[in-house]
Amino acid sequence: KAGVTQTPRYLIKTRGQQVTLSCSPISGHRSVSWYQQTPGQGLQFLFEYFSETQRNKGNFPGRFSGRQFSNSRSEMNVSTLELGDSALYLCASSPDRQETQYFGPGTRLLVL
Amino acid sequence: GQNIDQPTEMTATEGAIVQINCTYQTSGFNGLFWYQQHAGEAPTFLSYNVLDGLEEKGRFSSFLSRSKGYSYLLLKELQMKDSASYLCAVREDVRGSYIPTFGRGTSLIVHP
């Protein structure tokens, strides 16, 4: 069974731009969670989608948004990028609840 | 919000046993997770505890005491490949939303 895939793997943007990241979960998994990882703040939870609905949300500003499609693929969007948004963005999928999550390789975003 | 504490770094010898502690403070505990993360890679799920006690899975075991806000990850028969960062994460029920918060991770160095 193929693992979680994320595209693109690397991305360079400038301040003020917006970016969309994509995550394809493991086949049959309906839950997709997004995380931000930085050296300064560590790993932080952004939000979780389940059956096309945002089920849980972390403490991030509204510039960070996401959605999930009927095939469980998910996208995350960050608008009006700031330098501090430079990070590794990870998505994780699980069959139903969050207990066992499988992480993708991440998208490394650099904001200049 | 919550506070999660785990040691920054630990060293151990190949073949030995090491215990990584994690303490937390939360008002809406809803589960504790341990992840392993090798440098430059995504986290890998190790264990999930929601009830008090010990969960054993091969060379790895995880213990939880909810009353003490304490957990540990026990690694037996250490191998060089166990050198990695170990992340403790506590899931909190915040007004019906399940929010996982991660510790900063414990960097484990296994030497021959």
Side-chain angles (χ1 to χ4, degrees), chain A residues 73-92:
Chain A
R73 188 178 71 85
S74 178
E75 288 182 347
M76 191 193 87
N77 185 276
V78 187
S79 63
T80 319
L81 284 166
E82 301 176 359
L83 296 179
D85 297 333
S86 294
L88 178 67
Y89 290 89
L90 295 158
C91 84

Side-chain angles (χ1 to χ4, degrees), chain A residues 21-32:
Chain A
L21 312 181
S22 180
C23 172
S24 292
I26 292 172
S27 178
H29 285 193
R30 296 191 296 168
S31 167
V32 174

Side-chain angles (χ1 to χ4, degrees), chain A residues 37 39-40 56-57 99 104, chain B residues 37 42 45 48 91 98-99 104:
Chain A
Q37 188 171 35
N56 297 296
K57 186 178 187 302
E99 279 75 11
Chain B
Q37 186 173 25
F45 170 84
Y48 167 70
R91 188 170 66 188
Y98 292 168
I99 309 297
R104 298 309 304 274

Side-chain angles (χ1 to χ4, degrees), chain B residues 18-48:
Chain B
V18 71
Q19 177 175 312
I20 302 174
N21 296 325
C22 172
T23 59
Y24 64 89
Q25 295 172 321
T26 181
S27 56
F29 179 83
N30 194 263
L32 187 141
F33 302 78
W34 284 97
Y35 292 89
Q36 179 192 61
Q37 186 173 25
H38 285 100
E41 297 183 11
T44 302
F45 170 84
L46 291 176
S47 68
Y48 167 70

